Amino acid sequence: MKAICYKNTKTNLPGWVDNVHVEQKYGYAYETPTHYVHFYGKESFYIISVGLTVTEGKAKYKSLEDWVKYRFGADEIQVMTRDVGHVLEGIWRPSLYYWYDTCNALRINESEQVSQEQSIRLLVQKLDELLIYIEPSIEGLECYSYKTRELLILSCTEVENQWRSILVHNKITPINGKDYTTKDYAKLINKIFLTDFSIRLRNNSFRTKITPFLLWNVSNPTKSLVWYDAYNKTKHDRYNSFSDAKLKFIIEAIAANIVLYAIRYSPLSLINNSTVFSATINQMFTIEMENVDIKSFYIPELDTSKIMTDDCIVFDSYRDKLNKEWKVDNILF
């Protein structure tokens, strides 16, 4: 069962103010045998507001589209990609807001998560130390040294660890049957929403938006990822490629680690948590989502057999425990 998504242009809910759609500009809906179901969605991190769940009996309406147009002024209606109630193994998408829900849906191994946090925190701390001596100005970004080479290798090794973990969890074996290479990793390009996230360094000299995976492509899986190609060169040929260990590539590689962490464990755990890890990240970086395909989001499936009215009602489906358990699918190539 597929849901539809759309833009809300009006609010027509009994007993409610008429401007909910101003802040909650996106809508997601589907039908069950007895009811229509709608969720509101925000623009900031595209959070799907399960606390603003709307249901109504189907009898008065010709179709789901008829209902969403009447109640929400639905515009630009599209069919969503995934079945209602389904998630991808270990890949976060909006609607996973509460940590308990996220942890269960993504089958998160908390020990593995903590290990990843420690690794990224150390990378960010090492970058912070570097920036005491090198200003990330146009000139400074081209600087290289034994310290920058060391940090570039460490940062890209962690990126490889995260790529590998995603492939292993999804039971994807290496193409050559032995070790994963960029040909294997590049399979993830169009599957795990790598370009949805952008990172900014909180530094007055360097405010450029970083989208570390934007130019990555399957046909040239190493060289199209410029910062990774630089790591590959300087790691295997220090004498001739020492100058590839530039500060700018370190910043991009660490940004890539943050993006992958957000994809695997939710960007909200970076932004909202009051942990040493989140404080370390937020002190140096900001993270944003933009130009996102809302058709790719996960939509929770409700047990509408527990809804005892056909009237149009608004409630918190998560708090009221009407959300069914998520069904977890492997990424398919």
Side-chain angles (χ1 to χ4, degrees), residues 186-239:
K187 292 179 179 179
L188 299 172
I189 292 173
N190 297 318
K191 299 292 183 178
I192 66 170
F193 318 106
L194 289 166
T195 59
D196 283 7
F197 296 91
S198 61
I199 307 293
R200 291 184 189 272
L201 183 66
R202 293 183 188 273
N203 185 292
N204 290 331
S205 299
F206 185 84
R207 300 305 298 271
T208 303
K209 180 173 65 177
I210 309 165
T211 49
F213 298 104
L214 184 62
L215 300 179
W216 198 16
N217 62 73
V218 176
S219 61
N220 206 348
T222 299
K223 292 187 180 298
S224 61
L225 215 52
V226 178
W227 50 269
Y228 185 85
D229 188 40
Y231 144 77
N232 206 41
K233 290 175 179 176
T234 197
K235 175 185 177 182
H236 295 290
D237 187 1
R238 183 187 66 242
Y239 182 76

Side-chain angles (χ1 to χ4, degrees), residues 26 28 41-49 92-97 196-199 262 266-272 282 286-290 292 294 297:
Y26 296 107
Y28 310 87
K42 297 181 179 181
E43 192 163 28
S44 176
F45 282 95
Y46 297 87
I47 297 304
I48 294 176
S49 305
W92 179 87
R93 298 307 282 153
S95 86
L96 296 177
Y97 179 77
D196 283 7
F197 296 91
S198 61
I199 307 293
S266 165
L268 305 178
S269 64
L270 286 172
I271 297 165
N272 296 336
N282 291 327
T286 62
I287 182 169
E288 300 171 355
M289 289 182 74
E290 57 185 4
V292 176
I294 67 173
F297 295 171

Side-chain angles (χ1 to χ4, degrees), residues 57-72:
K58 297 168 61 172
K60 295 190 298 183
Y61 303 93
K62 294 178 181 179
S63 65
L64 176 62
E65 288 197 10
D66 185 39
W67 181 65
V68 296
K69 288 178 180 178
Y70 175 73
R71 289 293 182 196
F72 314 106

